[in-house]
Amino acid sequence: MSHQLAIEHDVIGVGFGPSNLALAIALDESARKFRLKCAPLFVEKQPRFTWHGGMLLPGSDMQISFLKDLVSLRDPTSPFTFVNYLHKRGRLQDFINCRTFYPSRLEFNDYLRWVAAQFKSQAVYGEAIVAVEPVMAGQSVTSLRVRSRTLAGDETVRLARNLVVAVGGKPFIPEMFADIADDRRLFHSSVYLDTVGAAGLGRKATRVAVIGGGQSAVEVTVDLRGRFPEASIDLIFRGHALKPSDSSPFVNEIFNPDYTDFIFAQPGERRDAIVRNFRNTNYAVVDADLLDQLYRLLYQQRVSGTTGVELHPRSEITGVKAAVEGIEIGKVDKFEGRDSRSCYDAVILATGYDRETPHAFLEPIRRYIRDAAVDRNYRLATSPAFRPQVHLQGYSESSHGLSDTLLSVLATRSQEIAESLLSTISRRELIA
Ligand SMILES: Cc1cc2nc3c(=O)[nH]c(=O)nc-3n(C[C@H](O)[C@H](O)[C@H](O)COP(=O)(O)OP(=O)(O)OC[C@H]3O[C@@H](n4cnc5c(N)ncnc54)[C@H](O)[C@@H]3O)c2cc1C
Ligand SMILES: NC(=O)c1ccc[n+]([C@@H]2O[C@H](COP(=O)([O-])OP(=O)(O)OC[C@H]3O[C@@H](n4cnc5c(N)ncnc54)[C@H](OP(=O)(O)O)[C@@H]3O)[C@@H](O)[C@H]2O)c1
């Protein structure tokens, strides 16, 4: 075990994805502006910065304008804009010639990595936070003891005055697949690229099932078709049809930063109704261009009299069994009552993500947390004897709206959290 207790960090950020990366910039910029010294540390479990690496498919594009990068909506003159990244990479003019607001996910990942590299001294990689414990002075909790662990099992303990949790969503494995979750032929879309190469799908007559009807399911289906032209791919989903995501301009205003104030001010049941009403902007829906691409692919199969990809709408899965010859899936057509059973060499769960709170690593301080809900500045309500601030990024969709799990409000949310954190850090002149 390694101990690093001597240094007390002003803030420890759990996870170093886009949310805490945006916070690193906001803290740095605000601290300079207010002449405060702030020493954050971000602890990331991946060995290097990667934004949903298992889904960095060659053909996939961003679902949000590049102008909603980590900073532009707060300060378009920041050196961390996507435009400055393009300029530094020598691609600004060529990007303009692409005439798009939606760069590839590969390019946006490279942008995020470029920013992360500039905060190298504030980040450690390859360590997962496993426990956050109270440090007591009498009856008060004055700071936090933060334990992290590497894959090899080495543990490090650090002290933090405040904590910002931004660990994203957890791949959702439906209950009926839980018993065979360890079977190597079954995997979640979040690890698609890491796993598909080793899944032995290159043979003739390989059978693959993709479960789900959202963006991930269709991206994976189209990618599989390109990768393994001989494979039979069943796309199994519960809805009547694959539906487009609503990204029309008036609807898109729900992702404006000031909409967060509007929704936060509503009573609980109205917030729920708004989130429900606009779910089709984000969940179980597919980018319209990708739907066209899949439709053309299916049509072309009919023209050439071939098979390959087959859609199974209205299908409820009734049973799952791991056998030697493959994973057997039973399903029923919900409307015609027809049962069927098929065996697959691989099953890919494109079943989305879970965002449960409080996180297991917060268990040791749970008794100080009064309510799982956060305030407008994303701070957990804690008991008076608990002095550290604990902020959450990405777990407040029900109170702050659908933008909360996305990139839309990162520039403003990070600023709000940075100001809340800096308000407690004592005023110290910057050392030049
Ligand atoms: C494939 C895919 C594509 C997407 N594309 C878009 C898009 O185009 N536009 C958009 O607005 N949104 C998109 N999203 C939504 C996505 O949630 C956001 O883009 C963004 O990733 C949220 O950032 P985050 O930092 O909150 O979470 P994440 O990006 O999930 O980052 C969390 C980080 O925390 C780390 N971590 C987890 N647990 C621990 C732990 N215990 N200790 C230390 N580190 C930990 C993880 O390794 C990860 O790096 C996409 C989501 C997916 C799955
Ligand atoms: N290129 C990109 O930018 C990109 C790529 C991929 C993902 N994303 C983003 O990532 C987020 C998540 O998208 P996602 O497609 O991974 O997840 P999602 O939108 O949450 O969709 C999950 C799908 O799984 C289905 N499902 C869940 N539980 C099921 C069960 N028990 N049995 C059968 N089906 C089940 C859901 O069906 P029901 O509707 O029937 O519940 C839904 O169709 C979205 O914000 C999306 O935009 C972006």
Side-chain angles (χ1 to χ4, degrees), residues 101-113:
F101 273 117
Y102 307 101
S104 68
R105 293 199 55 246
L106 280 163
E107 186 171 32
F108 206 74
N109 179 58
D110 191 57
Y111 155 68
L112 294 171
R113 206 169 255 179

Side-chain angles (χ1 to χ4, degrees), residues 13-21 42-46 48-56 60-65 68 103 105 108 112 124 127-130 148-149 165-169 188-190 215-216 219 282 353 355 359 361 393-395 403-410 413:
V14 188
F16 205 35
S19 296
N20 268 346
L21 189 51
F42 296 92
V43 182
E44 165 58 47
K45 72 174 177 186
Q46 298 187 92
R48 64 192 291 231
F49 186 96
T50 308
W51 178 53
H52 298 298
M55 281 294 287
L56 279 178
S60 74
D61 292 332
M62 294 292 296
Q63 295 200 302
I64 202 168
S65 163
K68 291 192 174 176
R105 293 199 55 246
F108 206 74
L112 294 171
V124 289
E127 293 181 26
I129 301 294
V130 291
S148 62
R149 200 174 293 147
V165 178
V167 293
H188 190 267
S189 57
S190 58
Q215 182 72 19
S216 295
E219 284 195 8
N282 189 37
Y353 296 80
R355 285 174 187 262
H359 301 82
F361 52 75
Q393 300 208 69
Y395 306 92
S403 54
D404 193 64
T405 66
L406 302 174
L407 304 173
S408 327
V409 293
L410 290 194
R413 181 174 72 192

Side-chain angles (χ1 to χ4, degrees), residues 237-241 313-316 332-338:
F237 54 99
R238 299 190 283 205
H240 282 267
R314 300 180 295 275
S315 296
E316 194 74 55
V332 60
D333 181 314
K334 289 195 293 181
F335 286 77
E336 293 175 344
R338 217 175 338 106

Side-chain angles (χ1 to χ4, degrees), residues 245-317:
S245 50
D246 188 341
S247 54
S248 55
F250 293 109
V251 165
N252 222 41
E253 288 186 355
I254 67 159
F255 298 109
N256 290 357
D258 56 9
Y259 197 79
T260 309
D261 289 321
F262 170 76
I263 195 164
F264 190 79
Q266 303 300 313
E269 67 282 7
R270 275 211 213 143
R271 288 174 180 167
D272 293 347
I274 295 170
V275 169
R276 259 198 321 276
N277 195 25
F278 289 106
R279 259 187 83 78
N280 67 341
T281 53
N282 189 37
Y283 295 111
V285 286
V286 185
D287 191 65
D289 290 350
L290 184 61
L291 284 183
D292 286 343
Q293 191 184 345
L294 178 63
Y295 199 87
R296 278 196 298 272
L297 189 159
L298 292 167
Y299 184 76
Q300 204 49 46
Q301 282 184 180
R302 289 175 60 199
V303 171
S304 57
T306 53
T307 51
V309 175
E310 200 178 314
L311 302 199
H312 298 266
R314 300 180 295 275
S315 296
E316 194 74 55
I317 296 171

